[in-house]
Amino acid sequence: MPAPEPAYARPAPVRRPTLAARTGASPYDPAETPLARTRRARRMARELAVIHPDAHCELDFTNAFELLVATVLSAQTTDKMVNKVTPTLFARYPDAVALAGADREELEAILKPTGFFRAKANAVLGLSQALVERYDGEVPGRMADLVTLPGVGRKTANVVLGNAFGVPGLTVDTHFGRLVRRFGWTAEEDPVKVESEIAELIPKKEWTDFSHRVIFHGRRVCHAKKAACGACGLARWCPSFGIGPVDPEVAVKLVKSPAASDTE
């Protein structure tokens, strides 16, 4: 028998929308002590593990090189679209040496469905050439080395380190940043500062899995435009409760299944 789909929707306890939801004020409370914030964050993190037991990297890959390229290609498009393109891409160019020598027109044609294909072709060509010239075509397993590669910032590096090398990392993408601000864990907008502040709240060994769970929650429940507050298992601890529908019957209709979920 196939395993049942995870129950992303969990009816929220009855409560009125928070002050932040009613007034548009920041959900970050500077009066909350660091200890209280840490305890609340870890309680919410434990609940996220219950809500999203299937959380994982939604980019398809078989090795570090494929994940690195796929993550670069995922900018401003969905993981689903990248997953449609990469089988053709890696069948034609299976490693850094092959991709570094790719025909530009052929490469752009493969990447066209992902959008911004000329810029992305430049990025993966430059990335592959740098891997060949500096690292014998192999993806390095250190943050300090990864961020020197063209088009690779800390977010991309953390995706690769966490999922291909088993090195814990926080992936601060648009979903992650949006949610941790809604949770009132940080008021920072800069991804590096967000990463630094959340690293103080969540145990290091959990960073990679935690990142997946937050991203899953952002794609399936806590949407950018209309959060499913009334169906959210984090509602009792969330200072943004009420930014979306609080009626459970209305909210549950907003929860997306894995088949429908994407990066918005």
Side-chain angles (χ1 to χ4, degrees), residues 202-220:
I202 305 298
K204 184 174 182 178
K205 64 182 181 180
E206 299 176 15
W207 286 353
T208 300
D209 288 338
F210 170 75
S211 297
H212 291 321
R213 292 164 189 155
V214 172
I215 292 168
F216 261 49
H217 202 67
R219 291 178 177 176
R220 289 155 170 74

Side-chain angles (χ1 to χ4, degrees), residues 6-64:
Y8 301 127
R10 293 178 178 271
V14 177
R15 61 179 290 206
R16 65 182 302 210
T18 63
L19 178 66
R22 297 196 308 271
T23 66
S26 171
Y28 181 81
D29 180 5
E32 185 177 32
T33 67
L35 178 59
R37 185 172 297 114
T38 299
R39 286 176 171 170
R40 183 169 62 85
R42 293 189 180 188
R43 182 65 188 85
M44 294 173 77
R46 290 194 296 272
E47 188 66 19
L48 279 169
V50 174
I51 298 170
H52 303 288
D54 58 335
H56 61 279
C57 178
E58 294 191 281
L59 289 168
D60 295 337
F61 67 98
T62 63
N63 55 51

